[in-house]
Amino acid sequence: MTHGTTTQRATLRLDGAVLRCAGEWTALNLAPLEARLEGLAWPPGDIHIELGDVRRLDIAGAWLLHRLQQGLARQGHAVSTGGLAPQAQHMLELVRRTGVAAGEVPRARRPGLLEGVGRGSLEQALHTLGLLAFVGELSAAWLRQLLHPAQVRWRQVAHELGEAGYKALGVVGLLSFLLGVVIAYQGGVQLHKYAASLYVADLVGLSMVRELAPMIAAIIVAGRTGSAYTAQIGTMKVTEEIDALRAMGIAPMELLVLPKLLALVIALPLLTVYADIMGILGGMVMAGAQLGVTFPTFVDRLGVALTTESTLLGIGKTPVFAAIIATLGCYQGFQVVGSAESVGRRTTLSVVQSIVAVIVVDAAFSVAFSYLGL
Amino acid sequence: MARADDRAGDNVIEVRGLTLSFGDKLVHRDLDFSVRRGEILAIVGASGCGKSTLLRELTLLQPPDSGTVRLLGEDTAAMSPQRILELRRRIGVLFQNGALFGNMTALENIGAPLREHTALSHRIIDEIACVKLGLVGLGPEDGLLYPNQLSGGMHKRVALARAIALDPGLLFLDEPTSGLDPLSADAFDTLVLELKAALDPTIVLVTHDMDSLWQVADRVILMGEARLLAVGTMQEMAASGDPAVQQFFRTARGRAAESCR
Ligand SMILES: Nc1ncnc2c1ncn2[C@@H]1O[C@H](COP(=O)(O)OP(=O)(O)OP(=O)(O)O)[C@@H](O)[C@H]1O
Ligand SMILES: [Mg+2]
């Protein structure tokens, strides 16, 4: 049989009213035959298909033959076959018995433009409602646990803290240090022109502490941790682990979502403080190297420029960011249906939506603070 | 042991000294057996004795710790990646849990190997997929369902249809009838026998289904205690005096299936 490495090609030739088929009519050999059959000019009247030289006929080959017979018969030819080996005859019979007819492949119905727009809008509306319902459910669970702190799964929280906080120290530290360097350099060049190099401490300190450190920490956490939440919960949904939890009487909200939310609300402010320090350090190193502002001078100036109020305002925003990231990440995880592809799509959505939401909310904070004169 | 009558040229699979352990856990040691061309070989054994793992080794998905697997006369350890790809086109695998692609419909799943490995038009590929769906006892309309919309038994049947998509000469089936109703399981046995009559593939089959064993298996390998406990036909197994073999086959279910013959 075809276990050997050399396979024989499949061929066909129209000889007057006789179609001569030969070789191995198997799935891997059929593609050229399909093209040949399309282009054949059939003579009117009876057609004989001679199959004596067909060495091997598999299901795909038998189907091609069967649909050829069907097609010819439909065009009014009388078709006869000959020379088929008993094994191949058997195969053909097997295929014929499934009752599949050429051109009768079921197709999924595609919605028209209007229907598509309608369905899309409805889906968006339901999505918004779903998110609201999720936030509501989450708040209820959150309040319940606030009343009974002993029920909080602290081990889980500690684990998530390690994953979201401790393990992010490296990347948050590096990026905020570099950000500090860049700000000091770009700002320093301008300040130097006005002989105001010393104010680089104000520039780096205030921009880091009020805006950049909270932002960079939130964006890194959204990309690192929010995505992981979606992927984890989404995969658990695909493998029915979420249903298993429910069936055991364990609320997924309390086991999976609350510890993540709590951990992130604790971790993000701490990461922000760390980013503040690393960013200012980066600015200080750059100011020393580029502008000749010594470390003691920089630190003295920083003491004047940086108020407790600014620092707290910066850090104060971050629990809100954390709540947004954790909520969106978990929500998108629960929206996964069916396939691994859906996990990927939802993970992308969760990261994009979190980052957009964080920046929008940050802008809202800025407007509010300026209105309040802070 | 059935080694004496193995002639190298006639063996599709030859396993020599196959040993594998996961960490401290020994799965099997020094397995020696062959699968002859055109035969249906059943692997049986208690749950967790390493049947699925053995299939993974035979399909080159899990490298063994030591020992050789020769497929179609070639040592698989010495094969180039290119050659392994070529070989895989002629091998069909049904995984124990189906392993259907979640983002494709049943029809697309079955057509996937054809779409990847042949230049056939999508229309023909879909039609062939419909035929295979019919062969495993499902209607064309089931072809539009996604794997998460299929019942357990339908899942298994679609996976079987995908495994035979390229009409492979060598077929590995991991528990094809578990999760099927008795009628569908019978239909599966008939399908295997019909495929065998028409195409004469070599089939390695893991099963707990005593009826399947009596109906379709030419030879049976009983695994246990990290080795092969027995190799032979079902008649030989049923008549064996070995206590381990008796324990496995002389259960009430085994006897019921035998007496139905
Ligand atoms: N990736 C792995 N890592 C560690 N141990 C494994 C791994 N895969 C399988 N095992 C172990 O190897 C043994 C054999 O597993 P295998 O899945 O082959 O069993 P099986 O005979 O197919 O059982 P069943 O009939 O229940 O399907 C089991 O004890 C299992 O715990
Ligand atoms: Mg198994």
Side-chain angles (χ1 to χ4, degrees), chain B residues 67-102:
Chain B
T68 56
V69 175
R70 295 175 73 87
L71 287 184
L72 311 178
E74 281 180 81
D75 184 359
T76 51
M79 278 185 192
S80 66
Q82 185 59 38
R83 181 80 191 101
I84 290 180
L85 277 186
E86 268 171 40
L87 195 66
R88 286 214 161 115
R89 287 184 200 178
R90 294 195 277 138
I91 295 179
V93 186
L94 166 66
F95 289 91
Q96 188 168 4
N97 60 7
L100 294 178
F101 305 123

Side-chain angles (χ1 to χ4, degrees), chain B residues 211-222:
Chain B
D211 292 312
S212 279
L213 287 174
W214 279 109
Q215 292 291 327
V216 304
D218 294 320
R219 278 194 312 153
V220 179
I221 285 183
L222 174 62

Side-chain angles (χ1 to χ4, degrees), chain B residues 223-236:
Chain B
M223 292 180 68
E225 301 163 21
R227 62 190 178 89
L228 300 189
L229 293 176
V231 183
T233 63
M234 270 313 273
Q235 281 81 2
E236 286 166 13

Side-chain angles (χ1 to χ4, degrees), chain A residues 140 223 293 325:
Chain A
V293 181
I325 294 167

Side-chain angles (χ1 to χ4, degrees), chain A residues 2-5 27 31 34 38 56-60 63-64 67 87 94 97-98 103 105-107 338-339 341, chain B residues 37 83 90 102-103 118-121 123-124 126-128 130-132 135 140 144 148 167 169 194 197-199 202:
Chain A
T2 52
H3 287 316
T5 38
E34 189 197 347
E38 296 285 321
R56 189 175 156 85
L57 188 72
D58 69 0
I59 299 173
W63 170 253
L64 200 67
R67 91 191 286 279
Q87 275 199 334
L94 212 57
R97 236 186 301 145
T98 60
V105 174
R107 297 242 165 268
S339 69
E341 193 186 17
Chain B
R37 177 146 307 166
R83 181 80 191 101
R90 294 195 277 138
N103 57 337
T118 73
L120 289 169
S121 71
R123 203 182 55 210
I124 294 255
D126 281 345
E127 287 171 5
I128 295 175
C130 271
V131 170
K132 307 230 161 170
L135 285 179
L144 292 180
N148 62 327
D167 294 298
E194 276 175 337
L199 285 170
T202 308

Side-chain angles (χ1 to χ4, degrees), chain B residues 47-48 50-53 96 174-175 206 208:
Chain B
S47 195
K51 305 179 295 295
S52 298
T53 309
Q96 188 168 4
D174 199 346
E175 304 202 7
V206 172
H208 296 302

